[in-house]
């Protein structure tokens, strides 16, 4: 039985080491994936630069005989399109990420950099891993569908327009505030949003209030979240069937029969924690046989003497105190702790032993 317990402990430790190795491998794979994306984007950019330089050199050498790069408007659009791989924002390190996001989806922001600077739009989505966000209708660019996807469906257009990500630091929140002179509401750019006390919720999230600097008591509300719309389908389970309890556990029948557990878990796995009584009896018999085998081994003279003395002490049984020892212990107790003997009942003297006729004669 000790072997089974030690084997289970070793199996648990091995599983913990395997889990640690898996986590370390996943971490390395995430770093490798981020580096691969960065390398891919850089490779595409270098290819585009080399191609544009080559075409410019050919145009200078040929002069009036330079070919027309775009024969049709569709080709012209495709030549100025951006590859979807280049549109992906690069992941940043955790140390560079924004800890507390004061701009979320649904807020109105103004863009401070790029071709669409000074334009106001609504945030569509945010990406905290890259510290970027998408603003609806701003920073639009023609996107080229990858060849693999375009070959599957050639009916759709090769080029489509979509928003490119904008850095979190290149936008500012816009919120209507009353004009000090007229009192009418007008859009105001909030350069530095102040935060109230941060509450850490039990589900691992944090919440706080957004405040306007310099205006005490003015709170910028968070945009309302859209409730998901659920559509019932014929294959969905009805709510009354979900809420109706179908299992009533009792104290007489176990929740899971042992046969079902053996079907769900490998019966001969080294990670199992339940064993059959026959298997336990077999292991106990093996342990007893091993102990008997150890007892038959050759012992030294000192080991034989110690074993003999242990057997003699065991045959004598537990030690017994003599009357003189008990009398001495009672005298010491009465001397040191007399209060212990106050509640004891008086002990009557033992009856005299009757004398026999032979002793009298």
């Amino acid at each position: 039985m000790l072997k089974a317990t030690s084997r289970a402990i070793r199996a648990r430790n091995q599983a913990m080491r395997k889990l640690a190795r898996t986590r370390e491998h996943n971490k390395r794979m995430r770093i490798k994936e981020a580096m691969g994306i960065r390398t891919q984007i850089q490779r595409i950019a270098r290819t585009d630069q080399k191609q544009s330089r080559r075409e410019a050199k050919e145009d200078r050498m040929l002069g009036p005989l330079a070919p027309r790069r775009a024969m049709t408007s569709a080709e012209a659009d495709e030549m100025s399109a951006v590859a979807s791989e280049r549109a992906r924002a690069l992941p940043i390190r955790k140390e560079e990420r924004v800890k507390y996001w004061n701009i979320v989806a649904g807020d109105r922001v103004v863009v401070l950099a790029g071709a669409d600077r000074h334009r106001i739009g609504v945030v569509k989505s945010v990406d905290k891993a890259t510290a970027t966000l998408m603003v609806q209708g701003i920073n639009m660019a023609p996107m080229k569908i990858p060849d693999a996807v375009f070959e599957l469906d050639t009916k759709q257009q090769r080029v489509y327009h979509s928003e490119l990500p904008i850095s979190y630091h290149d936008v500012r929140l816009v919120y209507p505030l009353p004009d000090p002179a007229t009192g009418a509401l007008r859009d105001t750019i909030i350069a530095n949003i102040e935060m109230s006390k941060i509450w850490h919720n039990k589900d691992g999230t944090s919440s706080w209030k957004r405040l306007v600097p310099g205006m005490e008591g003015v709170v910028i509300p968070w945009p309302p979240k859209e409730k998901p719309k659920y559509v019932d389908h014929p294959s969905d389970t009805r709510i009354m069937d979900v809420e109706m309890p179908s299992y009533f556990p009792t104290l007489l029948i176990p929740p899971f029969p042992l046969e079902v557990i053996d079907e769900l878990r490998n019966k001969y796995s080294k990670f199992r924690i339940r064993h059959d009584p026959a298997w336990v009896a077999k292991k106990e018999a093996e342990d007893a046989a091993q102990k008997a085998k150890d007892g038959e081994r050759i012992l030294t003279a000192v080991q034989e003497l110690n074993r003999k003395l242990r057997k003699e002490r065991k045959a004598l049984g537990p030690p017994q105190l003599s009357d003189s020892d008990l009398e001495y212990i009672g005298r010491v107790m009465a001397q040191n702790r007399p209060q212990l003997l106050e509640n004891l009942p008086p002990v009557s003297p033992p009856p005299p032993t009757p004398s026999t006729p032979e002793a009298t004669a």
Side-chain angles (χ1 to χ4, degrees):
M1 194 63 185
L2 296 177
K3 289 184 178 180
T5 305
S6 61
R7 187 173 63 179
I9 295 175
R10 290 196 302 270
R12 184 191 60 184
N13 296 339
Q14 183 179 3
M16 294 175 63
R17 291 194 297 269
K18 184 178 180 181
L19 179 60
R21 290 195 299 268
T22 302
R23 290 177 177 175
E24 184 66 23
H25 174 73
N26 294 337
K27 181 180 178 181
R28 291 197 300 268
M29 291 302 296
R30 288 195 298 268
I31 297 175
K32 184 177 180 181
E33 182 181 0
M35 294 178 62
I37 295 173
R38 185 184 298 270
T39 304
Q40 184 180 8
I41 294 174
Q42 293 175 354
R43 186 184 301 113
I44 294 174
R46 286 195 300 268
T47 303
D48 294 346
Q49 292 174 1
K50 290 181 181 179
Q51 181 67 20
S52 61
R53 291 174 183 174
R54 188 181 303 110
E55 292 176 355
K57 184 177 180 181
E58 291 178 358
D59 293 344
R60 288 196 305 268
M61 293 176 63
L62 296 176
L65 301 178
R68 295 181 59 185
R69 303 294 177 181
M71 302 302 296
T72 61
S73 60
E75 292 179 358
D77 293 339
E78 186 173 344
M79 287 183 62
S80 61
V82 180
S84 58
E85 292 81 2
R86 296 188 62 181
R88 297 174 60 182
L90 296 176
I92 60 178
R93 298 183 303 174
K94 291 184 178 180
E95 296 80 7
E96 300 175 354
R97 296 181 181 177
V98 180
K99 188 174 182 180
Y100 299 106
W101 278 67
N102 288 314
I103 298 177
V104 296
D107 285 331
R108 297 174 66 244
V109 295
V110 59
V111 181
L112 303 181
D116 293 333
R117 60 181 177 275
H118 303 162
R119 289 189 58 185
I120 298 176
V122 181
V123 179
K124 292 178 57 178
S125 62
V126 298
D127 188 359
K128 297 183 179 180
T130 59
T132 58
L133 44 84
M134 295 282 191
V135 183
Q136 186 175 1
I138 295 180
N139 200 16
M140 301 289 292
M143 307 290 294
K144 184 168 33 178
I145 298 176
D147 297 336
V149 180
F150 184 72
E151 291 176 358
L152 296 177
D153 188 5
T154 56
K155 295 182 180 180
Q156 62 179 353
Q157 295 182 355
R158 180 60 183 260
V159 178
Y160 67 98
H161 289 74
S162 179
E163 298 88 354
L164 294 181
I166 304 174
S167 175
Y168 176 83
H169 305 285
D170 292 340
V171 297
R172 294 294 184 269
L173 183 65
V174 176
Y175 184 70
L177 294 177
D179 189 356
T182 62
L185 294 178
R186 66 175 183 177
D187 289 338
T188 307
I189 300 176
I190 312 298
N192 299 314
I193 303 175
E194 293 184 355
M195 299 172 55
S196 65
K197 178 183 176 181
I198 300 175
W199 296 276
H200 299 284
N201 305 322
K202 294 183 178 179
D203 56 354
T205 59
S206 302
S207 58
W208 63 91
K209 294 181 180 180
R210 301 183 295 182
L211 306 177
V212 178
M215 301 180 66
E216 186 178 357
V218 179
V219 179
I220 303 175
W222 297 94
K225 295 182 179 179
E226 297 183 0
K227 295 183 179 180
K229 298 180 180 179
Y230 300 101
V231 181
D232 295 335
H233 300 279
S235 59
D236 294 340
T237 305
R238 297 182 300 175
I239 187 62
M240 60 282 298
D241 296 335
V242 174
E243 296 178 351
M244 181 181 299
S246 59
Y247 174 71
F248 303 93
T250 62
L251 299 177
L252 302 178
I253 302 176
F256 254 95
L258 300 181
E259 295 80 5
V260 177
I261 296 180
D262 291 337
E263 292 179 2
L264 298 177
R265 300 177 180 175
N266 186 5
K267 185 177 181 180
Y268 304 98
S269 173
K270 61 182 179 181
F271 297 102
R272 65 181 307 179
I273 58 176
R274 180 188 58 80
H275 303 284
D276 298 332
W279 187 86
V280 175
K282 178 182 176 181
K283 290 299 178 182
E284 291 179 350
E286 291 179 359
D287 295 344
Q290 184 66 26
K291 290 182 180 179
K293 185 177 180 180
D294 296 340
E296 296 176 358
R297 63 183 179 179
I298 300 176
L299 304 178
T300 62
V302 177
Q303 291 176 344
E304 290 180 355
L305 178 62
N306 293 335
R307 180 170 292 184
K308 180 180 178 181
L309 294 177
R310 285 196 298 270
K311 289 182 179 179
E312 290 178 356
R313 287 196 299 268
K314 189 175 181 180
L316 293 176
Q320 299 291 336
L321 295 175
S322 60
D323 296 340
S324 59
D325 295 337
L326 294 175
E327 182 182 358
Y328 179 76
I329 293 173
R331 187 165 57 252
V332 172
M333 292 175 59
Q335 181 181 355
N336 298 336
R337 303 289 295 276
Q339 62 273 16
L340 297 177
L341 304 178
E342 294 179 357
N343 299 327
L344 295 178
V347 180
S348 58
T353 55
S355 59
T356 57
E358 295 181 356
T360 306

